[in-house]
Amino acid sequence: MSEHHTHQAGSTEDLDVLGIGIGPFNLSTAALLPKDTVTARFIDRKEAFDWHPGLLFRHATLQSPFLKDCVTLADPTSEYSFLNYLSRSRRLNRFVVADHPNVKRREFNDYFKWICANLDTLRFGTDVRSLEFDGRAFVAGTNRGTYRAKDVILGVGRAPFVPEGARPHLGSTVFHGSEYLLRDIDITGKRVAVIGGGQTGAEIFDDLIGNDSRLPSEVTWVTRRGNFAPFDESPFANELYVPGYTRYFHAQSRTERQRLLPQQKLSSDAILQPLLESIYRRLYETDFLQDRRLGYRMLVDRHFTRVSPAASGWLLTMEGPQGTEAIEADIVILATGFNHETPAILDQLSDRLVRDEDGQVVVNEDFSLQWDGPPDHRIFAHNMSLHTHGWIDPNFAGMAWRSGVIVNSVLGRYLYDVDVDGTTVDWGGKTTTALELPAPEPVGAGV
């Protein structure tokens, strides 16, 4: 069982690897690190593991197949696989018979907690107050003593992104969507606005309109996208999440990567088709099959600019195809995602990180950050390399593979086969030289 508070304040622990943050990604790395050859600790300020508790809706599902768990795509024989969790929980046969098209997020949250209970390298309730490099090791100062480590692996997650126009008014009726289920709010008879057209916005909108006993008077769903777009789950889109494509993407120029990312967004940041169908059918039901109609507006191609106090509730301003628009709401929910800035944990090392022309940290192929320190001391990071590795970085689909790459680099040997699987698609092609081009037809040739 994992121990939570064995490291005492004032003490120092010397390690090969210090993991900061215990979310799904670092949990994957902790599960794949060999216990016999590496001294490692993974620490988190939380008292226990919980995966986005504000969004664990009853019907919410993963966007990735369950085989893309913490370990399977790097080590199918690992004791920490989702299938082994089902077996140890004595429900594997029932799970197979149930034949879920997508696994519920609540079940995967329980799977993560099961891994936590079976890893002895995790320490919760440990808040990192400083992270420095003293010339020989990374030094992390925490509320429970000091950790010194040769390498650091960051898995601290992203902070919720709140648009500047909403920040001054955050409170009980204006808040980020990640807090939705943690808020004790009464939506009955209220005007509610949801800003953001991704999966989170869809799940919140679905919850708002789904219960006849507590319906709002009106729900407005706003997105800057051209429509409420479905998640691209096609086989060829999924090839964006295999090692062969990721290595291809990393090898491209910064300009080419910037061109590709928007084209591929719907393979990661969109709405599951069954959820869209459920929402549409529910709206049909409230429009035609119930005595009381639900007031709703679904606004696309609108860019939210600000929220400001109104005589009653809030006034939301946005820019749309016809210019500036405004709507009123009593409750504003910001399903606006998470920011992609350098995490605050790196503030004391920020000046030592190598950055590109856009100010983003340069990330090596093995997910280590380029810096000016000794090459045998590295800072690895999950979810900091969208710009260098593509959509696999923030996505569950790449979790086990990315951890395998990091573990191989930490060990300095090839423990996991992370170079498997080519792709069916010729992503880059090759430049045809003048010698290979057919000779032009002579002018006037032919009959």
Side-chain angles (χ1 to χ4, degrees):
M1 301 291 285
S2 65
E3 302 169 31
H4 289 210
H5 302 307
T6 58
H7 193 52
Q8 300 300 314
S11 64
T12 299
E13 187 170 5
D14 291 308
L15 305 164
D16 295 319
V17 173
L18 174 65
I20 301 177
I22 306 175
F25 293 168
N26 247 358
L27 193 59
S28 165
T29 307
L32 287 171
L33 271 173
K35 305 178 184 66
D36 55 342
T37 57
V38 178
T39 57
R41 291 287 177 269
F42 287 77
I43 59 179
D44 197 294
R45 70 176 65 174
K46 299 189 301 287
E47 292 297 327
F49 185 94
D50 216 1
W51 179 44
H52 292 308
L55 295 171
L56 283 180
F57 298 97
R58 180 180 170 217
H59 297 295
T61 64
L62 295 181
Q63 291 176 289
S64 299
F66 67 83
L67 287 177
K68 295 180 178 180
D69 61 15
C70 285
V71 294
T72 297
L73 291 189
D75 181 8
T77 68
S78 171
E79 63 185 298
Y80 300 111
S81 71
F82 181 69
L83 287 177
N84 192 43
Y85 152 78
L86 292 173
S87 177
R88 295 294 182 90
S89 303
R90 302 180 66 82
R91 61 177 187 263
L92 179 58
N93 284 295
R94 289 287 302 277
F95 177 85
V96 172
V97 174
D99 194 23
H100 300 286
N102 295 89
V103 178
K104 297 287 179 67
R105 285 213 303 262
R106 289 186 303 156
E107 186 161 31
F108 241 65
N109 190 44
D110 192 59
Y111 159 62
F112 294 140
K113 291 181 177 181
W114 173 80
I115 293 179
C116 289
N118 287 280
L119 276 177
D120 63 4
T121 54
L122 312 183
R123 302 290 183 267
F124 290 94
T126 306
D127 185 18
V128 177
R129 275 80 182 273
S130 62
L131 179 64
E132 302 174 284
F133 186 75
D134 68 1
R136 293 176 297 172
F138 292 102
V139 182
T142 80
N143 60 319
R144 299 190 178 277
T146 302
Y147 292 89
R148 295 171 52 84
K150 176 178 177 292
D151 294 319
V152 168
I153 304 175
L154 299 180
V156 294
R158 297 292 186 178
F161 172 72
V162 176
E164 186 176 352
R167 290 173 198 167
H169 305 294
L170 289 177
S172 60
T173 56
V174 179
F175 55 89
H176 193 267
S178 60
E179 304 172 10
Y180 178 74
L181 292 178
L182 305 179
R183 296 280 182 143
D184 184 18
I185 55 170
D186 181 10
I187 62 172
T188 309
K190 302 290 179 59
R191 300 164 300 173
V192 184
V194 180
I195 311 299
Q199 178 75 9
T200 297
E203 289 173 352
I204 292 172
F205 183 80
D206 182 59
D207 187 75
L208 290 169
I209 66 174
N211 188 336
D212 286 336
S213 67
R214 61 174 189 94
L215 283 177
S217 62
E218 182 178 73
V219 186
T220 304
W221 188 11
V222 182
T223 179
R224 63 185 175 184
R225 302 179 187 187
N227 206 340
F228 299 98
F231 187 58
D232 186 352
E233 297 182 273
S234 68
F236 297 106
N238 274 310
E239 286 210 342
L240 298 171
Y241 299 89
V242 300
Y245 179 75
T246 305
R247 296 196 186 283
Y248 163 78
F249 185 92
H250 187 270
Q252 302 310 299
S253 68
R254 173 177 141 274
T255 302
E256 178 64 3
R257 294 195 300 260
Q258 289 175 333
R259 183 185 74 85
L260 291 171
L261 280 174
Q263 297 178 6
Q264 301 167 357
K265 187 170 186 175
L266 294 183
S267 69
S268 178
D269 184 9
I271 306 168
L272 288 171
Q273 181 78 13
L275 179 56
L276 286 172
E277 293 170 354
S278 173
I279 290 172
Y280 194 91
R281 290 165 185 158
R282 173 61 174 162
L283 294 177
Y284 178 91
E285 178 185 305
T286 62
D287 281 347
F288 302 113
L289 305 180
Q290 294 186 173
D291 294 335
R292 178 195 167 197
R293 289 190 62 175
L294 168 70
Y296 65 86
R297 297 183 69 196
M298 304 180 71
L299 306 180
V300 301
D301 200 16
R302 266 70 159 198
H303 183 79
F304 168 80
T305 54
R306 67 182 179 275
V307 58
S308 51
S312 173
W314 301 101
L315 186 71
L316 279 72
T317 307
M318 64 199 82
E319 296 298 324
Q322 305 302 319
T324 302
E325 295 181 56
I327 61 170
E328 290 191 352
D330 301 303
I331 300 169
V332 181
I333 303 170
L334 303 163
T336 44
F338 297 84
N339 69 43
H340 291 276
E341 299 172 358
T342 304
I345 192 68
L346 289 174
D347 283 353
Q348 291 169 282
L349 295 168
S350 182
D351 291 343
R352 305 194 64 175
L353 301 176
V354 178
R355 299 178 184 272
D356 64 19
E357 296 93 325
D358 299 318
Q360 295 180 299
V361 178
V362 179
V363 185
N364 297 315
E365 191 174 335
D366 66 353
F367 298 96
S368 62
L369 311 182
Q370 288 191 19
W371 74 309
D372 65 3
D376 59 339
H377 290 77
R378 292 154 300 175
I379 307 165
F380 297 94
H382 294 284
N383 209 359
M384 275 189 68
S385 54
L386 173 63
H387 61 296
T388 55
H389 288 71
W391 289 104
I392 196 170
D393 183 58
N395 198 289
F396 262 45
M399 177 165 54
W401 173 76
R402 179 173 56 249
S403 289
V405 170
I406 291 172
V407 170
N408 284 356
S409 191
V410 166
L411 298 177
R413 60 187 176 90
Y414 203 76
L415 178 63
Y416 297 113
D417 187 0
V418 294
D419 294 320
V420 295
D421 296 342
T423 66
T424 61
V425 178
D426 182 356
W427 297 104
K430 69 185 185 74
T431 302
T432 302
T433 67
L435 293 176
E436 295 172 314
L437 290 170
E441 291 286 335
V443 177
V447 292

